[in-house]
Amino acid sequence: MTGEELHEVALTVNGTARTARVPARRLLSDCIRHDLGLTGTHVGCEHGVCGACTVLLDGAPVRSCLLLAVSADGCDITTVEGLAAGDGTLSPVQQAFAECHGLQCGFCTPGFLTTITAGLKANPEPDDEQAREMVGGNLCRCTGYQNIVASVHRAAELTRAAGLAPRPGAPA
Amino acid sequence: MKASGVAVMRAPPAEVWVALADPAVLAAAIPGCRHLESAGPRAYRFSIGAGLGSLRGEYAGEITVSEQQEPASFVLTAAGAGGPGTVSVRVRFRLTGGAGGTTVLGYDAEGGVGGLLAAAGERVITAVAQRMAADFFRAVNRQLHAGNVGAIIRRCS
Amino acid sequence: MKPSPVGYSRPHSVAEAVQALASLGPEAKVLAGGQSLVPLMSLRLARPEHLVDINRLTELGYIDISGSNVTVGALTRHAGLLASTAAGRAQPLLAHALRCVAHPAIRNRGTTVGSLVHADPAGEMPAVLALLGGSVRVASGRGDRVIEAADFFLGPLESALEPDELAVEARFPVLAPAAGTGFAEVSRRRGDYAICGVAVLASLTDDGSSIRQAAAAYLSVGPVPVVLDLTDAVAAQPAGDRAASYAGVRELAAQHLRPEGDIHATAAYRRQLAGVLTERALRQAVAAAAARIGGGRS
Amino acid sequence: MSSLFGARVQRVEDDRLIRGRGAYLDDLGADALAAAFVRSPYAHARITGIDVSAALEVEGVAAIYTHADLPDRLGQPLPLLIPHPDLTHGRTPYPLAKEEVNHVGEAVAMVVAADRYLAEDAADLVDVSYAELPAVVGIEAAREAADLVHPDVPGNRAANSVQEHGDAAAVIAAAPRRLELDLHIERSASTPLEGRGVLARWDEHAGQLRLWTSTQTSTGVRAAVAARLGLALTDVDVITPDVGGGFGVKIVHPWPEEVLVPWAARLLGRPVKFTEDRREHFIASAHERAQLHHVTVGFDDDGRIRGLSVRFWHDNGAYVPYGLIVPIVTSTQLLGPYKPDAYRVEFDSLYTNTVLVTPYRGAGRPHGCFVMERTIDAIAAELGLDRTVVRERNFIQPGEMPYDQGLMFQDGRPLSYDSGDYPALLAKLKQLIGWDEFAARKQAAAAAGRRLGIGLACYVEGTGVGPYEGGHVLVETSGKVKVATGLTTQGQGHQTVLAQLVADELGVPLGDIEVVTGDTRRFGYAVGTFASRTAVMSGSAVTLAARKAREKALRVAANALEVSADDLVIEDGIVHVKGDPDAGMSLGTVAVLSNPLRYAFDEAAAAATQFAGGGDLTRPPVAEDDEPGIEGRAYFSPVRSTFASGMHAAIVATDPDTAEVTILRYCVVHDCGRLINPRIVEGQIHGGVAQGVAGALYERMAYDEYGQLQNASFMDFLMPYVSEVPRQIEIDHLETPSPLNPLGVKGAGEAGVIPGAAVLAAAIEDAEGIAITSMPISPSDLFELRRGAGA
């Protein structure tokens, strides 16, 4: 078997222009983790069920294990590393997870953080049903979700208090 | 996985029997059959491209025919392996004369898939297998009588 | 769980796309949302030799509501269609069913036309297309053609597209006046493939007093979406009446459907669900129709 | 400074993790080669040939290994970790299959390539020919033994074990009433979100191995790998990075990959990494839970249990590397808070051609609880008594503590409960869920066409088993405190809890304390993380170590301040005279003074050099019985386990049409002794309950008759989303301290999962009026039960 054809992929990741040369079959999750070295995005199943690999693609949550990197060429991507402010201040969602014990092993957490960040942007004041719906596509094996749902409400509170919208690191 | 059913073949049992024992007919009838060669008495080596839609795979393996009671019944055993996993199936065919020179071909198939197929394909395997069975009999019919397509009645247990 | 090697091209027009498909042959596959294809590739159950990525064909990202159809372009994502209030008004069943398609993150990327072409017997949108009697327009080097829903779904994961054809749009007929729709499904977990699902379309007499016609389409009970005419069981049943008995449809469904068992449900349980859900979806549909007529009057 | 013991402190672990700066196994070793495995597609087969020639052609392939390539020691079967006298036919797998495969997923060949994609391409091209053998699947097939998994293991029986106190048979025969039940629990698995993984670097010059592995026991892996690779312990470091959940499956060691990867890294002179994917985790790690039980119970008209006899069959899968822990725990923990006059338990541990079985959170307790609680519910039904009344009448009373059940526990020591108050727990639970008011609510619901049911279950959980753990506490000259313990952490919040304990002992702020777990470079003696033992074992050890450091610090400060140590206190990192904050010095300064120096490397150090003056010139700088530095090392080894307890109750609604089960309320009362951090304990309960619900209603391993696992993916293995777990888990605590450790604590990690199947089976049975004897139960199962009952 001879070497595969490589394709140039240009992405804006957390506000920074990045490029990688990857074969067509490279999953976006692997490209982010291994080609770009942003290992905060985790891979829990590689068939699109667990949501640990969720990133924001042009502002919308997607499973990075269900995208080929080549197909995301030219897109704007926000990963967990892009959620905190430039000065390191935690985003309201991150703050809420710390306050509410919203994580245990932390492996699924990046997927929840990105999902909720986008979710609260679309719906800043979710009721309990909407809060659960917001995280309804992400698996967590540790927390029983109790404190994750609490974190969604707390994050909404913090966002309102700070009078700022949840930030994807880069403009959507 | 079990499947049984009945196919009406537009030819008398004797002809159907001959057709089903003919490698050329089998090669043309087995869905996706790339290659079929004799591997000793009542044994064939095959390679097929099987599956449907996105779910395709290359398989290679052996078919053996046993328990022959011409022209009433025989057992066909096929075992193959390919990228997506392993497939093994054992089919007992029963041939009985039907109205107007037809043959009622009853079959009871019992099979299993292994490897990747079993792990992730479970949801559609049965349906795929039944469709392949239907295609097989349709094709055998086509061989028997150009264009004449047997009515396939499926029952699943 | 990594895809096997695959070729890749990214056409910038439908013409380029169909030309690529024609030249690449049957082992090439179209990549749209990829929410079904990519996991199959990662599991190496699907090993296409080449991918034709249509995500740059932004001209196919449309939703057109004119005349008798909601027409959805091949690059319209589920989420986009779900968000379209106009589409929701013209054919409420689209939104009902789309809400049951996996999870939001999947709907953000997955395309509605793609889910039709994938022809998963457990998919919601194939059942919707089948119930509404919609169609799919496909393009190829040999020209365009329109495939009616009835001819579109051949078997599990098998649609009527030829290898060199690209599905460019799906047409969902708009909801007729005095008609309503309902959708009900049971899945093990929220967002999973349904164990059984039912979409119902019902129309009432002009005065809205009783049912004129009703039909259901089922997912996960056969190799393709199954459409069942419910009219005989419920014709002339009073509408909008809580006490009205639609139990007849349970029998009908039980008689006509031949679901199979799997690791999640026995065939008998599926048959039971088909009946129960048919009645539930029918109630929704009748109530919706009655409301429209009521709304129309006031 | 107020005590942190019992405070709902925010976790110190979280900041890194929520920023995406965690370092899990696959986040490491960007320069490493990737390993992939060729795994058996057959449940049982002889390997008749392996052809790797085509695979070797794949570009980027560094090596492909089969059993034939393994050197002597490595070619042997993996160790039987926990030998038990009853385990007469223990069999363990080879790192790579030799001649025969015994379950789908067993590793046959190892491919090492430039990346995982290429490794999988090559693995696809390894051509293995098999001669299929009949597969033994399921407990019944194993018991019938028409076919054998291992030809030299008659009856597929790895072990037969019997324990008895009193003459159960006689007592049952003499009892006024008798019942027999058959109770079944299906397979599930730990399924942490992060699978297994291992990264190895071999330092050719130093002749040393550094291994990172996603494990629950780094010292265990270290010992096993050193032995297999013929290395000295001192030449092997094992480091546990962040671990994405364990729940039991990562206590098993060494996994084939854990010995093969470092061996290959040494051979190839390149770092090698294996990251298990999701499908591999389903077919190549471990499962748990499958057991079949036959119960015979004799009781009197008041519901008092006289004699109990349980015969059960445990499916241990293809191999038993972890011994008999699961069935032994079932057989001993089954008794829960009750005290039958006589008890006999006998089990067979049986081989099947399926993935091996090792502890999963609860480790045999959920099965035991299910059996005991279903039995008590059956007695209540038989006598027409309230289910809580029958339980009360069988409880061990607080005054009877410590209570010896007359059996041997999983640690080889007496099964003797240290403390607990079961009547008080039940009273709390009845209050919390409104047990006495439920009947009326159920009736009202029925009138409206809704089916409601309530159930409860009680358990006692042996936690904090030995043999020991240790702790090390070091005060740096900066005043920062470095703490290390050898066991590992998988998200339970150990760093936070251990830091809370040290902060209290040393009087330093939480932020000045750094806790390291599972790194053999920092602490070499340890056992591992299992059986809810960290708070008890490492908590106690670290506390004792901190006390030593404190005592030393006070002594040094007392000398420097020329006061009596008894007059000193440490507050906020300052050692000072009681009531006089100005008469003191920082712990950092004390650390400097504790280490007489010849060389000054900074201001602080200068104060400790030989010409700095001070000190008694007639005595040696370091006294004969003393050591430099402020540090303490201590070990904790309790005489036996602590026994936590709890009771759960749930109210469910069952849909008359679709047979779907909805949990309306789920209540927990819990007693794990003194609570170090209630927030963390509650988090552990939440997660446990979710796994309990999963095991009761959703998760099972669906093997077909050929030994193919049909749901080896998150598509069909139904791990619950938020939509499947109770909306609110209501928790109340009781604190009966354990007399067996300095903290009075008991374990809390597994508690939440234990009664799940028992509680929900009881609630569904109450709603449906149909006996529920097998779990998990799906809507389809319930529908079929209804059909069978003609309902």
Side-chain angles (χ1 to χ4, degrees):
Chain A
M1 203 178 290
T2 61
E4 293 175 71
E5 181 189 356
L6 298 182
H7 305 261
E8 181 92 3
V9 175
L11 303 163
T12 304
V13 183
N14 303 327
T16 310
R18 305 288 305 269
T19 63
R21 289 183 58 74
V22 300
R25 58 170 161 165
R26 176 83 93 245
L27 299 171
L28 178 60
S29 47
D30 286 333
C31 177
I32 291 170
R33 288 176 49 74
H34 302 308
D35 296 300
L36 303 182
L38 293 170
T39 54
T41 298
H42 297 149
V43 168
C45 73
E46 284 184 303
H47 50 275
V49 182
C50 80
C53 67
T54 305
V55 299
L56 304 185
L57 185 81
D58 297 329
V62 297
R63 312 275 210 229
S64 60
C65 77
L66 294 188
L67 262 74
L68 298 180
V70 280
S71 204
D73 181 27
C75 292
D76 181 299
I77 289 169
T78 303
T79 68
V80 64
E81 290 94 338
L83 297 183
D87 66 359
T89 310
L90 293 175
S91 78
V93 182
Q94 292 170 307
Q95 184 63 37
F97 267 67
E99 286 181 21
C100 303
H101 187 22
L103 64 149
Q104 288 183 27
C105 81
F107 193 81
C108 68
T109 309
F112 277 94
L113 295 174
T114 48
T115 301
I116 297 165
T117 298
L120 286 177
K121 196 163 193 195
N123 176 9
E125 298 192 15
D127 60 27
D128 197 53
E129 203 50 55
Q130 294 163 328
R132 296 167 68 84
E133 175 76 32
M134 200 178 283
V135 296
N138 292 60
L139 288 174
C140 171
R141 191 56 159 172
C142 295
T143 64
Y145 304 99
Q146 306 290 307
N147 293 340
I148 290 175
V149 174
S151 300
V152 174
H153 292 302
R154 177 58 181 152
E157 226 172 75
L158 289 167
T159 308
R160 286 197 295 277
L164 48 84
R167 73 179 83 234
Chain B
M1 179 189 67
K2 292 182 173 64
S4 34
V6 174
V8 178
M9 317 300 285
R10 300 295 167 87
E15 282 180 45
V16 175
W17 178 274
V18 172
L20 289 175
D22 176 352
V25 173
L26 290 177
I30 295 171
C33 184
R34 301 239 194 287
H35 172 76
L36 187 99
E37 69 187 18
S38 174
R42 294 184 295 285
Y44 312 98
R45 214 170 286 109
F46 69 86
S47 68
I48 64 172
L52 286 171
S54 314
L55 214 66
R56 293 201 155 277
E58 296 283 324
Y59 298 85
E62 255 187 36
I63 295 177
T64 55
V65 177
S66 59
E67 300 176 38
Q68 288 176 305
Q69 284 159 11
E70 185 169 3
S73 74
F74 68 96
V75 172
L76 184 148
T77 314
T86 65
V87 180
S88 62
V89 59
R90 186 173 190 284
V91 194
R92 173 175 293 283
F93 291 94
R94 284 172 278 94
L95 293 75
T96 50
T102 62
T103 299
V104 178
L105 182 63
Y107 67 94
D108 297 292
E110 191 180 347
V113 294
L116 315 191
L117 275 176
E122 196 272 344
R123 212 165 45 78
V124 287
I125 293 295
T126 311
V128 170
Q130 273 143 9
R131 175 158 178 83
M132 288 177 70
D135 290 350
F136 173 78
F137 294 118
R138 213 181 275 116
V140 172
N141 258 321
R142 218 177 279 114
Q143 297 288 308
L144 289 164
H145 258 262
N148 287 345
V149 174
I152 307 292
I153 310 121
R154 245 212 318 92
R155 182 172 38 73
C156 211
S157 54
Chain C
M1 281 175 55
K2 309 293 184 186
S4 44
V6 65
Y8 179 78
S9 46
R10 189 195 293 149
H12 289 77
S13 72
V14 172
E16 271 181 53
V18 296
Q19 199 278 328
L21 288 171
S23 60
L24 290 164
E27 295 308 318
K29 286 206 70 72
V30 172
L31 175 68
Q35 301 300 282
S36 297
L37 178 59
V38 174
L40 285 173
M41 288 173 64
S42 288
L43 291 159
R44 297 202 176 198
L45 289 172
R47 302 172 183 229
E49 284 170 9
H50 200 100
L51 291 174
V52 177
D53 182 350
I54 63 166
N55 283 281
R56 286 301 166 84
L57 307 188
T58 44
E59 69 265 33
L60 295 182
Y62 57 86
I63 300 169
D64 172 52
I65 303 146
S66 52
S68 57
N69 288 315
V70 175
T71 305
V72 181
L75 207 61
T76 300
R77 318 278 176 189
H78 291 304
L81 184 54
L82 183 53
S84 163
T85 48
R89 228 180 291 108
Q91 183 42 273
L93 183 57
L94 292 173
H96 284 174
L98 282 166
R99 270 187 220 100
C100 295
V101 175
H103 294 283
I106 303 290
R107 302 198 291 260
N108 282 338
R109 187 69 181 175
T111 66
T112 301
V113 171
S115 72
L116 296 173
V117 175
H118 187 59
D120 192 314
E124 285 82 3
M125 301 322 282
V128 168
L129 190 81
L131 175 67
L132 299 176
S135 61
V136 178
R137 185 165 67 83
V138 304
S140 76
R142 297 167 288 124
D144 286 16
R145 64 173 179 140
V146 172
I147 309 174
E148 296 304 320
D151 310 319
F152 191 75
F153 304 105
L154 303 186
L157 306 185
E158 189 182 24
S159 69
L161 257 70
E162 295 299 329
D164 67 337
E165 289 180 320
L166 171 70
V168 290
E169 68 181 28
R171 298 163 176 175
F172 298 92
V174 300
L175 186 60
T181 64
F183 189 89
E185 72 173 36
V186 166
S187 57
R188 289 294 277 114
R189 294 175 302 186
R190 184 100 173 265
D192 282 353
Y193 286 111
I195 289 173
C196 177
V198 185
V200 165
L201 174 63
S203 61
L204 307 183
T205 51
D206 299 344
D207 63 353
S209 64
S210 63
I211 300 174
R212 175 183 288 137
Q213 280 183 325
Y218 299 83
L219 42 134
S220 296
V221 298
V224 295
V226 180
V227 179
L228 187 59
D229 188 344
L230 306 174
T231 307
D232 294 346
V234 291
Q237 278 285 341
D241 172 1
R242 285 247 157 281
S245 161
Y246 300 148
V249 299
R250 291 197 182 198
E251 303 309 315
L252 198 70
Q255 283 163 21
H256 287 77
L257 300 173
R258 289 282 173 274
E260 281 159 15
D262 62 17
I263 59 173
H264 298 304
T266 62
Y269 178 60
R270 273 207 169 82
R271 208 177 290 113
Q272 160 82 1
L273 285 183
V276 171
L277 297 177
T278 305
E279 188 177 352
R280 288 182 183 178
L282 179 65
R283 284 190 186 284
Q284 292 173 23
V286 171
R292 284 175 95 229
I293 290 170
R297 285 221 204 77
S298 61
Chain D
M1 197 163 65
S2 66
S3 168
L4 289 179
F5 195 112
R8 307 180 74 88
V9 173
Q10 256 188 52
R11 299 207 322 170
V12 300
E13 291 90 341
D14 292 350
D15 190 72
R16 278 182 322 112
L17 302 179
I18 56 185
R19 291 177 187 275
R21 293 189 194 153
Y24 301 84
L25 195 284
D26 191 54
D27 303 342
L28 311 170
D31 58 334
L33 297 170
F37 288 81
V38 177
R39 301 188 180 277
S40 171
Y42 294 104
H44 196 191
R46 236 176 331 96
I47 298 169
T48 56
I50 305 178
D51 178 358
V52 301
S53 52
L56 285 168
E57 297 303 308
V58 174
E59 183 172 294
V61 169
I64 300 177
Y65 304 110
T66 68
H67 184 275
D69 302 308
L70 303 180
D72 181 47
R73 258 211 212 85
L74 203 55
Q76 299 305 310
L78 292 167
L80 202 170
L81 287 171
I82 308 180
H84 184 286
D86 293 338
L87 183 50
T88 53
H89 294 74
R91 298 291 179 270
T92 59
Y94 293 91
L96 292 171
K98 178 189 184 186
E99 289 152 14
E100 190 172 307
V101 287
N102 281 302
H103 67 85
V104 170
E106 185 163 3
V108 174
M110 178 193 195
V111 176
V112 183
D115 69 32
R116 174 81 184 204
Y117 289 74
L118 298 169
E120 289 190 19
D121 293 347
D124 273 355
L125 295 173
V126 172
D127 183 4
V128 184
S129 24
Y130 298 91
E132 209 174 345
L133 298 167
V136 178
V137 182
I139 289 172
E140 288 85 352
R143 205 163 51 180
E144 285 154 20
D147 300 297
L148 295 181
V149 175
H150 303 288
D152 58 348
V153 179
N156 293 312
R157 185 193 283 185
N160 171 268
S161 181
V162 180
Q163 287 208 66
E164 181 163 23
H165 79 74
D167 183 344
V171 174
I172 292 168
R177 291 164 171 273
R178 238 180 330 283
L179 271 178
E180 298 199 19
L181 293 85
D182 289 293
L183 299 161
H184 180 217
I185 295 263
E186 284 189 58
R187 273 194 182 206
S188 184
S190 304
T191 51
L193 257 288
E194 180 203 34
R196 301 176 298 121
V198 52
L199 164 67
R201 290 183 187 280
W202 174 256
D203 181 334
E204 188 58 47
H205 306 293
Q208 290 180 332
L209 174 69
R210 185 159 292 183
L211 195 66
W212 291 259
T213 181
S214 189
T215 185
Q216 290 175 226
T217 172
S218 50
T219 47
V221 172
R222 181 200 203 188
V225 168
R228 290 290 151 153
L229 300 191
L231 296 168
L233 268 188
T234 49
D235 291 334
V236 180
D237 294 327
V238 174
I239 303 160
T240 312
D242 288 316
V243 173
F247 311 113
V249 66
K250 295 178 182 177
I251 191 64
V252 182
H253 64 281
W255 287 102
E257 298 86 351
E258 279 174 329
V259 292
L260 292 169
V261 165
W263 171 70
R266 182 182 185 177
L267 218 57
L268 297 169
R270 295 275 311 273
V272 177
K273 177 165 72 174
F274 165 69
T275 305
E276 182 182 57
D277 69 30
R278 185 49 54 185
R279 185 174 50 227
E280 287 178 298
H281 190 73
F282 274 104
I283 64 173
S285 64
H287 301 160
E288 211 235 81
R289 296 284 196 261
Q291 278 178 191
L292 204 57
H293 316 77
H294 181 76
V295 179
T296 312
V297 60
F299 52 101
D300 62 26
D301 296 333
D302 301 332
R304 178 82 177 81
I305 297 176
R306 292 302 168 200
L308 177 67
S309 176
V310 178
R311 176 79 169 98
F312 73 95
W313 295 265
H314 171 79
D315 172 355
N316 61 226
Y319 305 103
V320 286
Y322 209 74
L324 299 176
I325 292 304
V326 172
I328 283 175
V329 170
T330 298
S331 60
T332 49
Q333 298 268 269
L334 186 150
L335 292 172
Y338 312 110
K339 46 176 183 184
D341 301 342
Y343 172 59
R344 181 183 194 278
V345 61
E346 174 177 5
F347 70 80
D348 286 339
S349 190
L350 302 169
Y351 288 107
T352 57
N353 289 112
T354 58
V355 173
L356 57 93
V357 167
T358 65
Y360 157 38
R361 195 179 202 169
R365 296 175 185 86
H367 331 36
C369 180
F370 179 70
V371 169
M372 190 72 220
E373 295 297 302
R374 290 278 68 205
T375 301
I376 291 199
D377 286 344
I379 291 170
E382 179 80 4
L383 298 173
L385 291 171
D386 183 285
R387 289 168 282 170
T388 60
V389 170
V390 177
R391 285 171 169 82
E392 279 160 349
R393 291 177 180 170
N394 285 282
F395 278 154
I396 295 161
Q397 297 302 311
E400 299 177 272
M401 296 292 176
Y403 187 88
D404 190 335
Q405 288 280 22
L407 304 171
M408 181 171 59
F409 192 39
Q410 62 152 319
D411 52 5
R413 292 173 174 252
L415 182 72
S416 174
Y417 298 175
D418 53 335
S419 65
D421 187 341
Y422 311 134
L425 274 177
L426 184 58
K428 271 178 176 282
L429 183 68
K430 288 176 69 175
Q431 229 258 328
L432 186 57
I433 197 154
W435 182 268
D436 295 330
E437 298 76 49
F438 179 73
R441 182 177 171 190
K442 179 178 181 177
Q443 209 163 21
R450 294 182 67 228
R451 294 186 197 173
L452 300 189
I454 192 170
L456 83 161
C458 315
Y459 66 92
V460 170
E461 178 196 8
T463 65
V465 306
Y468 75 90
E469 287 296 337
H472 180 251
V473 172
L474 169 70
V475 178
E476 295 202 318
T477 56
S478 63
K480 304 275 188 206
V481 179
K482 303 295 183 183
V483 180
T485 188
L487 56 62
T488 67
T489 189
Q490 303 85 41
Q492 302 93 327
H494 295 156
Q495 280 91 342
T496 302
V497 167
L498 296 178
Q500 281 177 261
L501 296 172
V502 171
D504 277 0
E505 293 296 333
L506 276 183
V508 296
L510 207 59
D512 286 351
I513 301 169
E514 178 208 70
V515 179
V516 168
T517 61
D519 183 340
T520 60
R521 298 170 304 178
R522 291 288 300 275
F523 206 92
Y525 290 96
V527 181
T529 301
F530 56 90
S532 305
R533 65 195 296 275
T534 302
V536 174
M537 305 301 292
S538 286
S540 299
V542 161
T543 298
L544 297 175
R547 285 178 188 170
K548 286 188 181 174
R550 175 192 177 84
E551 182 266 330
K552 171 81 178 281
L554 292 180
R555 185 153 42 82
V556 172
N559 278 336
L561 296 168
E562 291 167 339
V563 296
S564 157
D566 304 342
D567 300 334
L568 294 174
V569 292
I570 313 179
E571 286 178 320
D572 226 352
I574 307 294
V575 190
H576 66 81
V577 177
K578 285 188 189 116
D580 181 1
D582 303 330
M585 59 177 62
S586 78
L587 264 182
T589 307
V590 176
V592 170
L593 297 179
S594 73
N595 178 20
L597 295 170
R598 180 169 184 80
Y599 311 111
F601 46 82
D602 64 14
E603 283 297 307
T609 49
Q610 291 159 301
F611 300 97
D616 179 344
L617 299 179
T618 67
R619 300 172 52 208
V622 176
E624 282 126 19
D625 59 352
D626 207 350
E627 294 170 350
I630 304 292
E631 61 182 321
R633 176 182 301 271
Y635 291 87
F636 179 68
S637 182
V639 61
R640 44 174 208 280
S641 303
T642 59
F643 287 82
S645 55
M647 303 181 186
H648 294 194
I651 295 175
V652 304
T654 59
D655 187 307
D657 287 322
T658 64
E660 291 170 289
V661 176
T662 310
I663 299 171
L664 302 178
R665 288 190 66 198
Y666 198 102
C667 298
V668 176
V669 293
H670 182 249
D671 183 353
C672 61
R674 295 180 65 211
L675 299 170
I676 302 170
N677 186 329
R679 177 202 297 264
I680 283 177
V681 170
E682 283 159 17
Q684 289 299 303
I685 292 171
H686 291 160
V689 167
Q691 286 178 350
V693 169
L697 303 180
Y698 296 97
E699 297 174 356
R700 53 187 281 259
M701 292 295 169
Y703 275 101
D704 69 10
E705 72 229 79
Y706 307 96
Q708 297 291 342
L709 184 59
Q710 296 171 283
N711 61 337
S713 82
F714 277 164
M715 282 177 281
D716 292 308
F717 178 82
L718 306 175
M719 184 188 294
Y721 288 104
V722 66
S723 39
E724 284 65 54
V725 300
R727 187 169 283 271
Q728 195 198 346
I729 296 166
E730 304 163 59
I731 300 172
D732 193 2
H733 297 286
L734 183 70
E735 298 190 51
T736 54
S738 170
L740 299 181
N741 63 70
L743 304 174
V745 300
K746 303 176 179 183
E750 294 168 281
V753 79
I754 295 169
V759 171
L760 292 169
I764 293 167
E765 182 172 289
D766 185 45
E768 294 283 319
I770 304 172
I772 306 297
T773 59
S774 180
M775 295 295 270
I777 183 168
S778 70
S780 181
D781 298 331
L782 179 55
F783 170 78
E784 295 298 337
L785 282 176
R786 284 175 179 173
R787 287 213 301 168

